[in-house]
Structure formats: C-alpha cells, structure tokens
Amino acid sequence: MDKLRSLLDRALGPSKVLTSPDACLAYAGDDSDQEPVAPDAVVLASSADDIAKAVRAASEAEVPIVPRAGGSGKSGGCVPVAGGVVIATLGMNAIQEISREEQVAVVQPGVILGDLHAAVEAEGMFFPPDPNSLRMCALGGNIAENAAGPRAFKYGSTRDYVLGLEVVLVDGTQLRTGKRTVKGVTGYDVTSLLVGSEGTLAITTAATLRLIPKPHAVTTLLALFPDVQASGRAVSAMIAAGVRPRCIELLDEGTLDAVRVRGVAVDERARAMLIIEVDGEPSDCDAQAERIGEVCAAEAIDILVAQDAAQRDRLWEARRQLSPATRAMARFKISEDVVVPRDRIPALLEETRAIERETGVRMITYGHAGDGNLHVNLLWNDEELLPRVEEALNRLFLSVVGMRGTLTGEHGVGTSKADFLAMEQQPELIALQKRIKGVFDPKGLLNPHKIFPRRQLEAASVTVAGRAVSLHGAC
Ligand SMILES: Cc1cc2nc3c(=O)[nH]c(=O)nc-3n(C[C@H](O)[C@H](O)[C@H](O)COP(=O)(O)OP(=O)(O)OC[C@H]3O[C@@H](n4cnc5c(N)ncnc54)[C@H](O)[C@@H]3O)c2cc1C
C-alpha cells in the first residue's frame, strides 16, 4: 500500500489522492446490503488521463481498482471488497455535447442522470432510461449496470442508447469503442459487452448516447385493485391486448401501506395499485388511456387520471420514495429485482405470498410490472431470523429461475447475487465469461470479487415447494 500511495502521489499529485481512513470511509459502501469496506486510497479523477495514470499506478502495485460513480448501486458493485484504490468519477461531470441534428449527446461518466434529462429535454429531445435513483446516480454507473427504470417497458434500457464509449483498460490504454452513427456493424460489438459489465472490464471516461425526440404529451393513470392478483392479471391483459404504455408500475398492499404512512392518501379499499403512463401525440394518449381503462375496468376498484403535470410529478415523487419508505418499515431490508415472463407475474406474486407464509419473513413487492421486473423486498427486525431470510431468498430465486425468469433485471450481480449466478447460468457460460474477463484483466485487478460465484452449486436440480426446479441454464 505504501508503494501504491507513493505511485499515486507521484502520478497525480496529492490533491487528487485521498488516503486518510476518514476520507476513504466515504467511498466504502453503496445502497446494497453488502458490508462497506474502506479502500486504501481514493483518486478524485477529473479526466481520462487521471484515470489512466491511476490505473497504471494500481496495476504496478498490483492492487484492486474499483470505479465508482454516484454510489447508489444496489448490488455492492462499487464496494472495494478487497481494498485497493477507488476511482471516483463524480468530478467528471461535463455534458460535452448535445446535438439536435444528430440526436446524440456526449457525456462524461460523472454526469448525474437527472441533469442529463433536464439538459436534453430543454432542447426538445429525450433520453429515456430513468432509474428511480436518477437524482443521485451518474452515467458511468448507469452504463456499468445497464440501468433501466419504469420507462424501459416501451423504450428499453441504457444499452439501447449507448452508441460508443471511451474507456481506460487496466493497463492504462485509452480506447474508443462503437460509433456516433445510428447504424454501424464494424467488428465485434465491444460497446454492448462493456455496457452492463459492472466495472469489471474497463473504466468509462466518456459516452456517446443516442437521443430521441421528446414525446409531445404524457398521460398518467392510477388503477386501484382489491388485491395484488387482480393487478397482475390486469398487467397480463394489457400486454395481451397490445397496449403499449411507456410504463406499468405495480405497488402491492405492503407498499401501499408504506406510501400511506408517508402521508399519501390512497383509497382504503385498495390492496394494489398500478401506475400506468402513456406518451405520444395528445390524440394517441387519449386513445391509449381509454383502451387501458377498458382493459382494467373488469377488475379495478377505481381508475384515476392525473389532471396536470404537477399531479403527475407528485405521483412519481411518491414512487421514487418507495425504496427509502420501505426501508423505514423494518430494521433490515433486502431488495431484489427479479424478472419473470410477464404472464408469470400473478404466479410470482402468489409464490411470494407462499414463501412469506412458510418462512415468516415479511415480503412486499413493487416495481416495473410492464417488464416483469419486480422488486421483492424482504423485511425483518430480528437478527435471529437471518437463516429464514436466506431460505426465503433461495426459494424466491429458485422459483424465478423455475419460471424461466432472471435474477436481476437492473441492479446487476455485484457481490449480492454472485453466489446465485450458477442457479441461472450453466457452468460453461460462466467459464466463458471468466475467460473474457481474463482477456481484459489478466491479473484480476479490476473490480475483483464481482459477478462470479465464490461457491459452486452442487445439485443440478432442487425441489422447491414440492416442484423440481432444474438449475444451470434453466433459462
Ligand atoms: C432509491 C434507489 C432507486 C433505484 N432505482 C433503480 C431503478 O429504477 N433502476 C435501476 O436500474 N437501478 C436503480 N437503482 C440502483 C442504482 O441507482 C443503479 O444501479 C445506478 O445505475 C448506479 O449508478 P451509480 O452512479 O450510483 O453507480 P455506482 O453505485 O457508483 O456504481 C455501480 C457500478 O458501476 C461501476 N462503475 C461506476 N462508474 C464506472 C465507470 N466510469 N466505468 C466503469 N464502471 C463504473 C461500479 O464499479 C459499480 O460496479 C436504485 C437505487 C436507489 C438507491
């Protein structure tokens, strides 16, 4: 570590290098349940050259290198679990270009997503990815996690909007990948490989992003249901009817309680809610809203339409507060982001009820039902319940894989789900990905102990609630 510190000081000057334990502690954790670990040093990067110098120094000292953006990750991705140097990128926060003619933006990795939204929308354009952390997460983290939010149902996730990247490799090489044009098929699609690689292959120093025209009108509807199963059926019915809202968000009974505690008035008869939003031309919005009303009418207690932008903003603010609001409901919380095929949403909701009954661990669910991506939250107060929580989590993941779903829709594997990867992916696929990692990072210095499992799954299939579920590539 002494070698690392002197190499960093020499390369970057002391003003960009933090080494005091107190200062390093601020870079120890994220928003996951991963135990925070203070790094040995932090580099406050302000340019790609700074990152290249820091990476060369860390490689020479053979210590781990962990990129960090907003620190809002939910899978332990930026936690320096093996110590080493954190590369803090929030200082690289310039929106370098917004081109209306080409419909692209070029950004540094520390740009806060909400700031990019405001800047492009002021120019009549639109960057659709909208994780609910948009006021605290930054583009470097969004790209590393392939982040997505409610609007992914219609518009897709971050990967769909990344045209090209500038990155630093672990040996300090600076590379450009991808293109600025909308089309282009030269060589392997390295850009897509890097998006979602959770900071394990390269460090992003700039990104060229695709923009689209801003929709002219948006209509937001609230549909209230007597139970969560009815809301799940309404989601399936909307998809089957070919309706294409930009988002369908589901809130179950426990989540509605959290919202009510925060002072939001919700009809007491409601045990589940869908927030549904459509966009396009005003006449399209009216037609789509009418169709949604017809589809939901069979099961809904009530369907309300937000009357103006202010009402819509209040609604989304309540939705964005769900993560902290549900965290306040118990001493401990784990928030999962599983995805199931959309016609299995009612089955997943049923399964969470069964797991809750049988393990005694409280489970509440909300999330992006349009994508089948639901945040199942496990809440408990008593530390002694931990074995039950682990059992509940295992059962949840096995059920999801058994439904041909996937363990994470947007939060990434990080450390939180590394040990479960083999439930979903066959050993050969994991081995292939490890070989790819080895090509980029032969010494395993870049964000180590992320994604790949530390323990092996022994069985090829297991029994969950009386059903045989095959592992290793069930998807
Ligand atoms: C309240 C709340 C709501 C959330 N809602 C959503 C949601 O709706 N959808 C969603 O997808 N996520 C959501 N998240 C999770 C989180 O905000 C996203 O994963 C986000 O993309 C992380 O961005 P960040 O800037 O905070 O990254 P960080 O947490 O700093 O890092 C995340 C990962 O990116 C890597 N990384 C960071 N910068 C770089 C870089 N320059 N180059 C390479 N790798 C890098 C890190 O090493 C780490 O692996 C939510 C989180 C919170 C707290």
Side-chain angles (χ1 to χ4, degrees):
M1 286 310 152
D2 287 345
K3 181 177 177 187
L4 169 74
R5 289 179 190 130
S6 76
L7 284 169
L8 288 174
D9 272 353
R10 210 178 317 140
L12 292 145
S15 67
K16 290 187 175 174
V17 184
L18 308 176
T19 50
S20 82
D22 277 356
C24 288
L25 204 56
Y27 299 83
D30 65 1
D31 202 69
S32 69
D33 54 324
Q34 166 65 50
E35 195 70 34
V37 179
D40 298 290
V42 176
V43 167
L44 305 173
S46 56
S47 68
D49 284 347
D50 283 353
I51 295 182
K53 285 177 193 163
V55 161
R56 274 194 208 102
S59 288
E60 192 181 329
E62 300 207 347
V63 301
I65 304 156
V66 181
R68 179 182 177 100
S72 71
K74 285 199 165 278
S75 58
C78 67
V79 178
V81 284
V85 54
V86 161
I87 312 270
T89 55
L90 278 186
M92 296 173 67
N93 58 1
I95 299 177
Q96 295 173 324
E97 184 187 349
I98 295 177
S99 163
R100 209 194 293 238
E101 291 73 26
E102 291 187 77
Q103 303 265 304
V104 297
V106 180
V107 297
Q108 289 190 315
V111 171
I112 297 293
L113 177 63
D115 294 344
L116 177 68
H117 282 174
V120 301
E121 286 174 33
E123 301 278 336
M125 287 172 286
F126 194 47
F127 181 71
D130 62 337
N132 285 304
S133 50
L134 56 87
R135 293 205 182 86
M136 56 179 125
C137 63
L139 266 301
N142 297 161
I143 291 166
E145 299 290 3
N146 188 21
R151 300 196 293 233
F153 179 46
K154 179 169 177 181
Y155 291 109
S157 55
T158 301
R159 181 178 283 117
D160 300 306
Y161 296 88
V162 180
L163 295 171
L165 292 173
E166 290 175 31
V167 296
V168 170
L169 300 182
V170 76
D171 64 359
T173 306
Q174 298 191 34
L175 271 190
R176 273 171 195 272
T177 73
K179 57 206 181 290
R180 191 183 159 97
T181 51
V182 172
K183 285 181 86 175
V185 293
T186 320
Y188 292 146
D189 191 350
V190 176
T191 308
S192 285
L193 173 64
L194 294 178
V195 177
S197 63
E198 302 191 23
T200 62
L201 299 182
I203 303 180
T204 302
T205 57
T208 303
L209 305 172
R210 180 169 77 91
L211 305 175
I212 60 173
K214 187 178 167 195
H216 287 136
V218 180
T219 302
T220 307
L221 297 100
L222 260 190
L224 303 173
F225 294 88
D227 60 66
V228 75
Q229 293 298 332
S231 66
R233 286 192 296 273
V235 173
S236 298
M238 266 184 270
I239 292 163
V243 193
R244 199 85 188 141
R246 73 177 185 181
C247 31
I248 308 178
E249 294 284 296
L250 179 146
L251 283 67
D252 78 351
E253 184 176 1
T255 319
L256 285 184
D257 287 344
V259 169
R260 289 182 180 114
V261 166
R262 292 237 157 177
V264 180
V266 181
D267 188 327
E268 285 301 327
R269 294 169 302 161
R271 300 276 176 273
M273 177 201 276
L274 293 178
I275 305 174
I276 308 157
E277 197 159 85
V278 294
D279 65 3
E281 294 303 322
S283 57
D284 283 352
C285 287
D286 291 347
Q288 288 184 74
E290 202 168 309
R291 183 82 187 100
I292 289 165
E294 286 163 12
V295 173
C296 291
E299 306 238 30
I301 297 171
D302 203 358
I303 302 171
L304 311 161
V305 180
Q307 294 307 309
D308 52 33
Q311 214 174 42
R312 187 167 64 240
D313 288 349
R314 278 202 299 280
L315 195 59
W316 281 109
E317 200 44 49
R319 165 64 185 91
R320 288 194 184 110
Q321 288 304 317
L322 282 184
S323 182
T326 51
R327 187 175 289 278
M329 290 171 77
R331 265 182 82 201
F332 305 106
K333 172 182 129 162
I334 294 180
S335 173
E336 292 306 336
D337 77 316
V338 296
V339 192
V340 291
R342 288 166 300 197
D343 62 346
R344 305 307 304 276
I345 290 174
L348 177 70
L349 296 168
E350 188 63 50
E351 186 67 14
T352 59
R353 292 283 75 82
I355 298 173
E356 183 177 56
R357 266 195 316 275
E358 286 155 33
T359 61
V361 177
R362 181 155 191 215
M363 294 172 89
I364 62 170
T365 303
Y366 60 86
H368 321 304
D371 307 318
N373 182 194
L374 292 175
H375 298 305
V376 180
N377 292 269
L378 289 76
L379 303 167
W380 72 103
N381 287 311
D382 183 351
E383 276 173 57
E384 289 186 0
L385 259 185
L386 201 56
R388 293 297 190 105
V389 173
E390 282 171 5
E391 185 194 334
L393 206 55
N394 258 292
R395 278 195 48 185
L396 172 70
F397 287 159
L398 288 166
S399 302
V400 164
V401 172
M403 290 177 198
R404 294 181 172 262
T406 182
L407 299 181
T408 170
E410 50 185 30
H411 293 167
V413 179
T415 53
S416 308
K417 276 176 278 280
D419 284 342
F420 299 98
L421 187 70
M423 270 187 193
E424 182 180 325
Q425 296 193 337
Q426 61 192 107
E428 295 82 357
L429 180 57
I430 295 175
L432 174 67
Q433 292 171 92
K434 283 185 171 171
R435 289 205 297 280
I436 293 172
K437 162 81 173 157
V439 170
F440 278 84
D441 180 18
K443 291 185 189 160
L445 295 177
L446 196 50
N447 213 0
H449 308 296
K450 309 294 162 67
I451 301 180
F452 299 111
R454 284 157 293 185
R455 66 178 162 88
Q456 298 288 325
L457 282 184
E458 278 131 34
S461 76
V462 293
T463 304
V464 187
R467 279 185 293 117
V469 175
S470 66
L471 302 175
H472 308 320
C475 294

